[in-house]
Structures are given as structure tokens and as C-alpha cells.
Amino acid sequence: QQQVKQSPQSLIVQKGGISIINCAYENTAFDYFPWYQQFPGKGPALLIAIRPDVSEKKEGRFTISFNKSAKQFSLHIMDSQPGDSATYFCAASRGYQKVTFGTGTKLQVIP
Amino acid sequence: DGGITQSPKYLFRKEGQNVTLSCEQNLNHDAMYWYRQDPGQGLRLIYYSQIVNDFQKGDIAEGYSVSREKKESFPLTVTSAQKNPTAFYLCASSRQPNTEAFFGQGTRLTVV
């Protein structure tokens, strides 16, 4: 089955804290794992993505950790800011097959 | 500016009517997609197209139809057969599958 399970559904973090969102997948053939950020009333935008040949990728305050054996990957937002408040979607895909999205995590960063 | 343009931003439809949502891209992308977004359910794929004059059903295609006559355009028709059409609809494109998808700003459809 082509499922991607995302948790938590919602998350409240204080400014300066670390936000962590987790995703688990079933299809071991997936080879592309992006994270998208969506602000209310807007379309999602790619935040960061990883392929399974690396275990971690960092871009600024955003880091993806990838555990191939556990079939899990997570997004870490360091020094979380109120401007990071948005909904985050993980996703997974393989080759020319369609992308499967997680159900989303609504992050609220409070001052 | 390069990107994806969806129109209209808001759309109201009476029950029993068909309605067409527009999606245009000037990114020269081959692949285009339509997603439906409902609260708590993430993005669900309606239809996708990897090349002009070809498209495939996604996970929730019933009650929807598409066409891909031009590389730049991928309109979605919500037919009267769609039982619960009120939702936020997102169009996306990518250079090829399995790469970054660029999304439009969405169309919020409400059935009145």
C-alpha cells in the first residue's frame, strides 16, 4: 500500500524551540521524500527534500532525518519562529509513480 | 514571472451544475496534477498528466474529468456526479515526476 503516515496532527512550540514532525512509509521502493510548507489560503511550497542515499539533509534551520531501516523520516525545525507557523506535509514517491502525501501537521509557534 | 496560475480563486456552484477550474503553467513542465484538499485529509490526487494528450486517474477521480490539449494547460471539470465537491483544489506541475512540484494558489469551490 502506498501510505504515508504523519504525526502529530497539530503541534504548538514556543519561539526558539525545536519543532519535530514525523512520517512513516510502507513502500520500500520510494526514493524521493519531500516536505512541503503551506500557509493558509495558499498552495504548498517545497521546503526541503531528501533521497534515501543520505541519512540527513540540512538547509538553514530545517533538517530532514531519514531512517531507511525503520522506514521513517522526520523534519526538524530549529529555533522555531512565529513565521514558521504553517501546515507541513511530508510526501514520498518513486520514479514515475504518483506522489503520496501525509495528512499534514499544523504548526503553531507562540512568542 | 514563471509559475502556475489557477483561476478563479473562489467559485460557487449550484448543485447539479458542472464547473471547470483553470490551471495554466509557464514553467515548461511536462507533468501536471490536480489535488483536492479537505481538512485533516491532506492532499488527495484527482488526476495527473505526464505528457500532452495523456492523463491518468488518481485516487479520487470519480466525478471529475480533465483534458491536456496543450502543455501549458490542464483544466479540471467538476461534474454533477461528484457528490461532495466543496473543497480546496490545487493544481501542480513538475519538470518530471519524482522531482519538486510547484503548486498554484488554489481554487476554493463551494456548492450552494
Side-chain angles (χ1 to χ4, degrees):
Chain A
Q1 194 160 351
Q2 306 274 336
Q3 265 194 325
V4 175
K5 295 182 180 180
Q6 184 173 346
S7 63
Q9 188 174 357
S10 63
L11 182 61
I12 299 176
V13 173
Q14 286 217 305
K15 179 182 175 181
I18 302 174
S19 304
I20 301 175
I21 305 170
N22 300 299
C23 284
Y25 62 97
E26 298 175 358
N27 186 346
T28 56
F30 285 144
D31 60 3
Y32 179 62
F33 301 89
W35 284 89
Y36 286 87
Q37 179 188 55
Q38 183 181 30
F39 293 103
K42 305 294 184 183
L46 181 70
L47 187 64
I48 186 172
I50 197 169
R51 297 199 184 262
D53 52 343
V54 296
S55 60
E56 185 174 283
K57 183 175 181 180
K58 184 176 181 179
E59 290 184 0
R61 296 184 293 108
F62 301 93
T63 300
I64 298 179
S65 296
F66 184 79
N67 187 329
K68 190 173 183 178
S69 60
K71 295 187 287 185
Q72 294 176 348
F73 58 109
S74 59
L75 175 69
H76 292 65
I77 305 175
M78 312 299 288
D79 187 27
S80 299
Q81 299 296 312
D84 297 330
S85 297
T87 299
Y88 294 81
F89 293 95
C90 64
S93 64
R94 166 183 178 256
Y96 278 75
Q97 296 184 7
K98 58 187 176 67
V99 177
T100 299
F101 283 86
T103 51
T105 296
K106 187 173 183 179
L107 170 66
Q108 184 181 359
V109 181
I110 56 177
Chain B
D1 289 331
I4 297 182
T5 302
Q6 288 187 243
S7 61
K9 188 171 182 179
Y10 299 96
L11 188 57
F12 296 88
R13 188 196 91 175
K14 292 183 179 180
E15 283 192 23
Q17 288 183 338
N18 293 353
V19 63
T20 297
L21 283 59
S22 171
C23 178
E24 302 279 334
Q25 56 101 355
N26 60 5
L27 299 168
N28 200 33
H29 287 170
D30 285 315
M32 296 189 74
Y33 314 83
W34 273 105
Y35 291 91
R36 171 178 170 145
Q37 186 172 23
D38 296 283
Q41 296 198 48
L43 281 72
R44 293 185 291 167
L45 184 65
I46 304 172
Y47 269 98
Y48 64 105
S49 168
Q50 296 182 6
I51 197 169
V52 174
N53 292 322
D54 186 51
F55 47 84
Q56 289 81 41
K57 293 182 179 180
D59 300 317
I60 56 166
E62 185 176 351
Y64 300 97
S65 65
V66 294
S67 63
R68 185 86 187 276
E69 297 177 0
K70 298 186 300 181
K71 188 175 186 178
E72 303 78 22
S73 179
F74 191 40
L76 172 74
T77 297
V78 184
T79 75
S80 56
Q82 170 50 235
K83 298 304 179 188
N84 184 22
T86 294
F88 190 51
Y89 290 88
L90 287 160
C91 179
S93 73
S94 62
R95 183 169 45 86
Q96 54 185 282
N98 222 27
T99 60
E100 177 182 0
F102 292 80
F103 284 84
Q105 295 297 290
T107 293
R108 187 165 297 280
L109 173 64
T110 303
V111 173
V112 296

